[in-house]
Amino acid sequence: MRLVTYRTTPTGQARLGAVTGDRVVDLARLGSVAGVPLPEDMLAFIDLGPDAVSAATQLLKAYEGKWPVGTAIPFENARLLAPIPRPRKNIFGIGLNYVEHVAESNRTLDTAKDLPTKPVIFSKPPTCVIGPGEAIEHNKEITQQLDWEVELAVVMGRRAHRIAEADALNYVFGYSVMIDVSARDCRRAGQWIYSKGQDTYGPFGPCIVTADEIPDPHVLDLSLTVNGVTKQSSNTRHMLFKVPHLIADISAAMTLEAGDIIATGTPEGVGAGRTPQEWLWPGDVVVATVEKIGDLRHPVVAV
């Protein structure tokens, strides 16, 4: 199931929808018609667990092609927001999680040349999240080195505390796309949150694909273009620490909860790693893609 958060007007209520063909189906409204209570927002839906996914899937199959009045709209009429417009907690970011990216970061960002022996974890605050099509802000007073990173995002489906790696994927609700925007000249004494946590630095979406549709998250192509030119192109199989390891490692010390997001790292091809280095500037357009999930397209604007 492909789940979105959407509006029908610029100021309308954000609602939970499922993309089916060329339609966005409002799950709460469809559930109301069928006598199956379903929530209006993504986090409440995730909180309900697998039973909600099963109930919604059955409803979509039962009514496909004959949507009751008021329950479905053409996809082009839906204004997509970030699937979780306001995460409950900071996003868990993973640094240096692709071998080639470790090497390019060592050349240009003064990070260690050796592969990490444990996941490198940082965070991005909820306020950095923006939805599909929203602008990435370039503040020239703060940065002259605005950079891009395409990442597979993991969305947790239930509370995970000291989870075994072998069980970890059972705790995943679904997957999405995130661009880890970074101001490379804003790192402070090795701390990354000011560099990576500024407003608009967390483009997220366009949807969450439930885990049943992506049984193996380590076979997905991912790529990023700037102004139509490919800058990153890789596959999630090249992750140094795979998704189960990341979940087990984080949950060993910090409880993961339903709706928490893990951005799993980026492959080589970031602007800082290029010769000469390349940066994002107002007027640029960034498009990030992860196979089976979709595209995120964002303009860069001056503020």
Side-chain angles (χ1 to χ4, degrees), residues 265-284:
T266 199
E268 68 176 333
V270 301
R274 296 179 168 270
T275 305
Q277 292 179 324
E278 300 177 15
W279 311 112
L280 294 172
W281 300 101
D284 288 342

Side-chain angles (χ1 to χ4, degrees), residues 192-296:
W192 294 1
I193 192 168
Y194 195 83
S195 167
K196 292 174 171 286
Q198 296 180 33
D199 292 352
T200 75
Y201 281 19
F204 177 43
C207 63
I208 296 174
V209 177
T210 51
D212 58 299
E213 295 200 12
I214 302 180
D216 184 356
H218 309 108
V219 293
L220 305 175
D221 289 335
L222 70 171
S223 61
L224 182 141
T225 67
V226 179
N227 301 328
V229 178
T230 299
K231 303 297 183 181
Q232 294 181 278
S233 181
S234 188
N235 188 283
T236 53
R237 68 175 175 271
H238 298 302
M239 284 185 191
L240 181 59
F241 301 106
K242 302 298 193 284
V243 172
H245 187 108
L246 296 176
I247 292 171
D249 183 71
I250 295 170
S251 73
M254 294 173 279
T255 299
L256 291 164
E257 298 176 305
D260 282 355
I261 301 164
I262 303 171
T264 58
T266 199
E268 68 176 333
V270 301
R274 296 179 168 270
T275 305
Q277 292 179 324
E278 300 177 15
W279 311 112
L280 294 172
W281 300 101
D284 288 342
V285 175
V286 183
V287 180
T289 304
V290 177
E291 185 183 2
K292 296 186 178 180
I293 300 172
D295 301 333
L296 272 180

Side-chain angles (χ1 to χ4, degrees), residues 30 37 60 69 126-127 139 144 163 180 183 188 196 230 259 268 303:
L30 183 62
L60 292 171
V69 175
T127 46
N139 185 340
Q144 294 290 305
I163 298 305
D180 179 16
R188 297 182 176 181
K196 292 174 171 286
T230 299
E268 68 176 333
V303 295

Side-chain angles (χ1 to χ4, degrees), residues 1 3 16 38-39 41-49 52-53 56 173:
M1 189 161 43
L3 297 170
L16 170 66
L38 290 172
D41 71 272
M42 187 75 74
L43 283 174
F45 186 80
I46 294 171
D47 285 341
L48 292 177
V53 174
F173 176 78

